[in-house]
Amino acid sequence: KAGVTQTPRYLIKTRGQQVTLSCSPISGHRSVSWYQQTPGQGLQFLFEYFSETQRNKGNFPGRFSGRQFSNSRSEMNVSTLELGDSALYLCASSLRAENTGELFFGEGSRLTVL
Amino acid sequence: AQTVTQSQPEMSVQEAETVTLSCTYDTSESDYYLFWYKQPPSRQMILVIRQEAYKQQNATENRFSVNFQKAAKSFSLKISDSQLGDAAMYFCAFTTGNQFYFGTGTSLTVIP
């Protein structure tokens, strides 16, 4: 069974640009969540989608947005990039609808903003 | 507010020895789930161990075990017979069923 796939793995952008990251969950998983990982900050929750609906949202500005498609694939978008957006963005999928089970993570998309 | 605190940014252990990673959390909920995740260098994060808060018995997975103290809101991870492959960043996390809350991580070095 294929794991969680994130694309692209690495990308470099400049301030003011926008970026779209993609996540394909494990087959059968309908919950997809996104996290921003930076040194010293750990994982910060961005948002979570279940069956195309955003169920939870973290404390990030509106420049961060996401969506989920009918096949459970998810995308997140960051507009008007800032230097502080440089981070590893992790996607995780889960089988359980009630968010109490194991999260399965992708390898992440490492974004560098210059 | 729901928070997770890992007070040890870095730890080291000799191969074959035992090490304990600390984690405390704060929540007003009575029903929740606790996790330890491992993130090896440049590799994806994987689950190490999971504990339901309503269970008094501490979870164990081979060389990994937890010491869950619900009243103290403490959830430490003990790694026995440490191996070189245990070197990684370890994250403590919990969820009440809505979102997951993660700590800032502990970087574990295993010394041969």
Side-chain angles (χ1 to χ4, degrees):
Chain A
K1 191 181 236 186
V4 178
T5 304
Q6 291 188 245
T7 56
R9 291 289 315 282
Y10 303 91
L11 65 167
I12 300 173
K13 294 286 187 178
T14 56
R15 281 180 298 172
Q17 288 187 310
Q18 66 92 26
V19 65
T20 299
L21 309 178
S22 179
C23 172
S24 294
I26 292 173
S27 178
H29 288 195
R30 290 189 292 163
S31 171
V32 174
S33 51
W34 289 88
Y35 300 86
Q36 181 193 66
Q37 183 180 0
T38 54
Q41 293 294 315
L43 275 72
Q44 303 292 314
F45 172 73
L46 283 156
F47 27 66
E48 186 245 345
Y49 289 87
F50 182 83
S51 293
E52 302 179 68
T53 299
Q54 187 181 87
R55 287 201 299 191
N56 294 290
K57 189 177 190 303
N59 190 26
F60 277 82
R63 301 185 296 107
F64 292 81
S65 62
R67 59 178 175 169
Q68 186 180 34
F69 302 95
S70 58
N71 61 356
S72 293
R73 189 178 71 84
S74 178
E75 289 181 347
M76 68 162 283
N77 184 277
V78 188
S79 62
T80 319
L81 284 166
E82 301 177 359
L83 295 178
D85 296 333
S86 295
L88 179 67
Y89 290 88
L90 294 172
C91 166
S93 72
S94 176
L95 179 62
R96 296 191 187 188
E98 63 273 18
N99 256 342
T100 58
E102 179 180 358
L103 291 177
F104 294 83
F105 284 87
E107 292 183 304
S109 293
R110 186 166 294 282
L111 170 65
T112 301
V113 182
L114 302 177
Chain B
Q2 325 265 27
T3 59
V4 180
T5 302
Q6 293 180 250
S7 58
Q8 307 153 314
E10 298 178 344
M11 293 279 287
S12 63
V13 62
Q14 292 279 351
E15 196 175 2
E17 296 295 309
T18 296
V19 64
T20 298
L21 309 184
S22 301
C23 172
T24 57
Y25 58 93
D26 189 22
T27 180
S28 57
E29 302 290 332
S30 59
D31 191 20
Y32 48 89
Y33 302 79
L34 296 151
F35 305 78
W36 277 98
Y37 281 89
K38 170 186 177 182
Q39 187 179 42
S42 301
R43 293 180 60 186
Q44 65 200 109
M45 197 168 317
I46 57 173
L47 178 68
V48 175
I49 202 163
R50 176 178 179 266
Q51 171 87 43
E52 294 96 335
Y54 62 85
K55 288 188 177 179
Q56 292 186 337
Q57 185 172 5
N58 290 323
T60 299
E61 287 287 342
N62 300 314
R63 299 182 294 106
F64 299 87
S65 62
V66 298
N67 183 4
F68 174 46
Q69 302 288 330
K70 190 171 184 178
K73 296 181 180 176
S74 171
F75 183 61
S76 60
L77 175 69
K78 186 172 82 170
I79 306 174
S80 304
D81 185 25
S82 296
Q83 301 175 359
L84 295 178
D86 295 334
M89 183 73 81
Y90 287 82
F91 290 95
C92 176
F94 85 95
T95 178
T96 58
N98 289 320
Q99 67 181 72
F100 276 73
Y101 298 87
F102 286 83
T104 51
T106 296
S107 178
L108 179 66
T109 300
V110 180
I111 303 167

